[in-house]
Amino acid sequence: LSIMQASDAQQRQFGLAAATALFHSVIVHFENDQPIQVEERWVNPKIAPDYMTQDFAHITPNEYLMQAAPLQGMDYVPEATLPTETIAHMLHILVDQPCLVLQRKTRSANQIATLVTMWHPGNRYRFVGDG
């Protein structure tokens, strides 16, 4: 967990003033002792001011955010891409092994609440949707 200055692109995406900080988290999710997802999340502190004080070993960021910032809408962009060395290390895969990556933007209270990038090992994951 960290508090970081929003980049120019993030300021535009979140609709924030210059020199605004965002909450940032990187979490590796496991199932049966195997990493299944790296989640990098940027959070608007106006929407979820207590994000940095949560114990994410006991509650997921999504669970907390659904309480603090009820979901108004979201946009998804899925893609297949190769991981960075850091992501590959966290997922226990090689850098030439494709990942399924889901970018998600959520809205709450008529503002952008979060921007999330979720990396999944391509050989262990598939996305399934139901409309």
Side-chain angles (χ1 to χ4, degrees), residues 1 6 8 31 51-52 56 66 85 92 103 115 121 128:
L1 293 171
D8 291 342
E31 184 174 289
Y51 186 79
M52 298 299 289
F56 292 126
M66 291 301 286
E85 285 187 33
H92 302 172
Q103 305 243 1
L115 296 173
V128 178

Side-chain angles (χ1 to χ4, degrees), residues 3 14 16 20-23 43-51 113:
I3 300 173
F14 278 92
L16 299 172
T20 300
L22 293 170
F23 298 149
V43 178
N44 184 339
K46 293 178 186 175
I47 297 292
D50 296 327
Y51 186 79

